[in-house]
Structures are given as structure tokens and as C-alpha cells.
Amino acid sequence: MKLLYSDMLPLGTKEGQTTILDAVKEQFKNADRVEIAVGYISAASLTELENLVEQYGIGRIRLTIGMYFIEGMPEGSYHLALKLNQKWLDSGIGEIRMVKGELLITIMSSLAQEESRSISENVTWGHRKRMADGKVSVAYSNFLGYDKGENGNLVVNREQAKVVKLIYGEFIAGLSCHAIAEKLTKMGIKTPRGKDVWSQTTVRAILTNEKYKGDALLQKTYTPDFLTKKQVTNHGEVPQYYVTSNHEAIIEPEIFDRVQDMMKQRGYRGGYSGITIFSSRIVCGECGGWYGSKVWHSTDKYRRVIWQCNAKFKEKKHCRTPHLTEDEIKVAFVRVMGKLTTDRAMILEELREDQAMLTGTEDLEKEQKRLAEQMNVDADAVQEAIAENARVAQNQEEYSIRYEALSARFQETKDKYDAVTIEIAQRGIRRREFGRFIHSLEALPEMVTEFSEELWGSLVDHVTVHSKDNIVFTLTSGMEINA
């Protein structure tokens, strides 16, 4: 901190000493905005300040005078302050505020708040500059699967990576986030924060974090209020940066993308259970409801898990579809795999034709564009009606009827637009599923002799049970095969 001196008599200054006025002038040279809070002023000091503002072209100026009751200020200083205040107000560069002494703390707090804002902006700028440069930063102590490397980037933690791969594998096999969380808790695996109990929220966060496929989406959240410092989700208010191939992946990009598609599909389907790999996968061929698991002989040596229609004994008319043991489901699956490998070449040819025919979106995209344009027209009509009503006196009952009609037309168009958008997304998922199914079918061994959770999760959409001898597997490609 530099020591400043007053040149007012009787103190005076010696050679080489910096006066307070010299320091102020130096600050004015580098400033375009100045805020000053003082207790007392003189006419001479006001004149000097006025000259400095003009000399250095200050764009914004605020002077707060805090230790007078207004009627107690010297008359000359008071009138000069009023005159200077009016001059600054007229030119749009600032003002002079005169407050009672007890309000000075409020003014000083305001200045401290402004300083906090300035510091916050500088820190934020630094963070955003690093993001724009593609530099990734995470809370490594709470991030499962990666450690901080020597260059500051993400380095795979091989032991933790096994847990991440387990989570993705269980999800693809058919388990829900809740079921995976329960399984990890029972296995005694610690959460990313070192806790004993997993939550489905934590599992979902791992399943949706693009860093596990080697990429990084930066600035997912931001801090809008520098005082509360509370972070909120970034929905486009500030720029986001997506860095591809930033670090070594734990999950292959194809697997990661597939999990995202599966999440969307389960959301579209609704009512997905996912407690086990067979949950929400087996359908009653008579009533269309899901099969659920039941435990027979739960307390003796004959204990076994069977699957039957959930509504079998709930309605007056019972479904006649049979129950199945898990072994029977697995054996049926192996038979279906055998049929796939036997007719592999012919099936692959049909699949490629179906993929091109069933997943095209060109016509839908044209319709989506047309509806988007119509939505803009409808929205403009609503706004014009509102503006006209504000500008011109109208019969409000007639206006209300017209407004409701225009709003209904806009909503109808929007509903159609949303439906087309969802259909485009679903066809995109279906196109990728076709591709994955084709790849999995090409990679199948010549013979599949035992049940595989991975293949079950990859190839089976659902199974419909009509009878013990009529079990139909609907595969992720849409193909149906009777086991």
C-alpha cells in the first residue's frame, strides 16, 4: 500500500512525496467510470472534481456526500453541488447524492457490492475463457472413474472405471436406475462421494455424463447472481462448449449413445420397471399387460421365481396365459438366437431394406419446417391482436373471442409440430437401433449355446407369451421370431 500525503497547510509536502490529489489524477487517467463517497466537501474540491471529470473524459461519475444534514452544509458548497449535479444529470454522465450520515453505511455497502460484482465478473471471465479454450475442469474428489493427470486433464482410474462399466452394462441389460442403485448398495460399492447408499439420481448422472465417452460439455451450469453465488442449469443463457475426444473414454461412444436412446425409449413407453432384466420385457398375449415376478415356496428348498401376468388373478376373468420360469425364458431366448444365426444372411438383407424404408425422416422434416413457419404466423397474429387491442378501443367481448380463437389455432399447430418432432426423434432412435442390431447380428458366433444378459439387452425389445408353445420374441429391429 502506497503512503499518500496532504499538501494542505500547515502540513505541506516534501520533494518526492505523492499527494492525495496526484493519486486521484493518476486513477482518473485510467478510468471511464468513477464513484466517490466522502464525508465533507468544499467548493474548491467540487470545482477540482468538475475539472478532472472534463479533463479525463470520465463517462460515468457519482459523488456521494454523507456527513451533512442538507441544511447544515455551507451555502456556497450546497449551491455549487446542486448546480454540478444538474449539469451531470443533463449530460447523462452522473449525479451527486447528499444523504444523512446514518445512510453512509448503505452507500459504502453499495460500493462494496459493486466491488464484489467486479471481482465475480473477472473470475467468471477466467472460467469462461478456459472453457472457450477447451480446458476441462471437474470436481475430481466426487467424480467416479477419473483422476487429475499431470497436465490437469482427466486420467482413467482403472478400478473405478470397472464400476462405471458395470453401471452401463446393467442398464443395457434392462435394469432401471433404481435397480442399479440397489444392486451397487448391496455390493458394498462406495458412491462417488464415498457414501454407502446409492441413489437413482447418482446412477442417472453417470449414465448421462458425456465425459465417460471421452467428450466434455462445458458450462452446463452458470451463476446468474454474484451475491448468492447459486448455480443454475444453463438453458442457453450463456455459451456452452462441446469438446470431442478430450480424454480417454471409459465407455465406447456407441455404447454411450445407445444408453441415451434407451433412456428416451423407456420414457416414451412409460411404466418401465427394470427391477430385473426381465421386468417390463414380457407381455401377456391375452390382456396385453406386463408379466411380473412371483416367488413360489419362498421359505423352503423348492423356492423358485416364476413370471406370470400381473392381472392373472386380479380380474374376474383370469388370463389363461401360462407362467414361465426364468430358465424357460432363457432357453426360449437361446432357441431364437439359433434361428437368427441359421438364417443370418437373409435376415441381414431384409433388415437393411427395412432400415431404409422405416426410418426415413425426409418427409417429416419438411412437415416440421412447414409447421414451424405456420407457428410463427399464428404467433404473430396473436401478438398483433394484443397490440391492436392496446392501441384501439374495441368491444372486449369480441376481442376475447377473437383472441381465444387465435390462441387455439396456435396451440393446435404447436401440438402437431411437437408430435412430428417426437416422431422424427423416435425414427432416429429406431434407425440407430437397426444399425446396432445389424452389427450385433453380424458379430454373433456360429452357435449361441447359453443365455447372455448382454445379448438379451442388445437384441430383445419384448417377449409376448400366448402359450408354452407360442412365445414370440420382438427384437429391437422390430422383427418377430417365434421361439
Side-chain angles (χ1 to χ4, degrees), residues 111-365:
L111 293 177
Q113 179 174 312
E114 179 64 20
E115 178 68 11
S116 176
R117 181 195 61 77
S118 177
I119 293 172
S120 176
E121 285 183 353
N122 289 336
V123 172
T124 299
W125 180 88
H127 286 323
R128 291 179 182 170
K129 180 65 167 62
R130 286 195 294 274
M131 291 177 187
D133 293 340
K135 296 179 180 177
V136 180
S137 177
V138 300
Y140 289 96
S141 59
N142 301 327
F143 198 76
L144 188 70
Y146 286 102
D147 296 324
K148 187 175 182 179
E150 294 181 1
N151 63 350
N153 209 347
L154 298 160
V155 175
V156 175
N157 181 314
R158 301 299 170 187
E159 284 303 310
Q160 293 181 4
K162 294 177 183 177
V163 180
V164 176
K165 290 179 179 179
L166 172 64
I167 291 171
Y168 276 78
E170 295 290 357
F171 187 85
I172 288 175
L175 294 190
S176 66
C177 293
H178 177 75
I180 295 171
E182 285 192 339
K183 184 170 185 176
L184 294 172
T185 300
K186 289 177 182 177
M187 292 173 67
I189 297 172
K190 298 288 186 181
T191 72
R193 293 180 178 272
K195 305 296 183 182
D196 294 324
V197 180
W198 284 75
S199 70
Q200 60 179 329
T201 303
T202 302
V203 172
R204 181 175 290 275
I206 291 172
L207 289 170
T208 56
N209 194 322
E210 77 292 333
K211 292 182 181 64
Y212 290 114
K213 70 168 182 174
D215 296 349
L217 176 61
L218 308 181
Q219 203 152 246
K220 296 177 183 177
T221 62
Y222 73 106
T223 307
D225 190 331
F226 69 93
L227 291 176
T228 64
K229 295 180 171 58
K230 181 180 179 181
Q231 289 191 330
V232 299
T233 302
N234 179 11
H235 295 294
E237 292 85 354
V238 295
Q240 288 186 323
Y241 306 94
Y242 196 92
V243 185
T244 58
S245 304
N246 178 74
H247 51 273
E248 182 183 353
I250 294 176
I251 303 299
E252 294 180 9
E254 295 79 9
I255 299 296
F256 179 87
D257 294 341
R258 184 178 175 212
V259 166
Q260 309 318 302
D261 286 346
M262 290 178 70
M263 282 191 168
K264 291 175 184 175
Q265 280 181 311
R266 292 180 186 181
Y268 292 143
R269 182 179 294 174
Y272 187 85
S273 172
I275 297 173
T276 77
I277 61 172
F278 300 119
S279 299
S280 298
R281 290 288 187 96
I282 306 174
V283 179
C284 173
E286 189 166 325
C287 74
W290 292 115
Y291 265 42
S293 61
K294 305 290 183 291
V295 179
W296 284 2
H297 302 283
S298 61
T299 59
D300 58 38
K301 63 180 182 179
Y302 299 107
R303 184 184 190 279
R304 63 173 176 165
V305 177
I306 63 97
W307 290 78
Q308 68 181 26
C309 176
N310 285 326
K312 190 174 185 68
F313 300 111
K314 290 182 180 179
E315 305 294 337
K316 291 181 179 180
K317 183 180 178 182
H318 302 325
C319 290
R320 292 164 296 179
T321 49
H323 70 265
L324 296 175
T325 66
E326 292 191 352
D327 285 341
E328 287 174 324
I329 299 169
K330 293 176 180 179
V331 169
F333 173 77
V334 172
R335 288 201 301 267
V336 169
M337 292 300 101
K339 291 182 179 182
L340 276 178
T341 54
T342 300
D343 301 323
R344 188 187 331 229
M346 181 184 69
I347 291 173
L348 283 172
E349 184 178 351
E350 291 177 356
L351 284 172
R352 292 189 176 99
E353 292 177 359
D354 290 343
Q355 182 183 29
M357 181 176 62
L358 298 176
T359 65
T361 58
E362 184 177 351
D363 291 340
L364 286 171
E365 287 172 2

Side-chain angles (χ1 to χ4, degrees), residues 35 62 97 105-115:
E35 295 191 18
R62 178 191 292 171
R97 294 183 177 181
I105 293 176
T106 303
I107 301 300
M108 298 306 293
S109 297
S110 176
L111 293 177
Q113 179 174 312
E114 179 64 20
E115 178 68 11

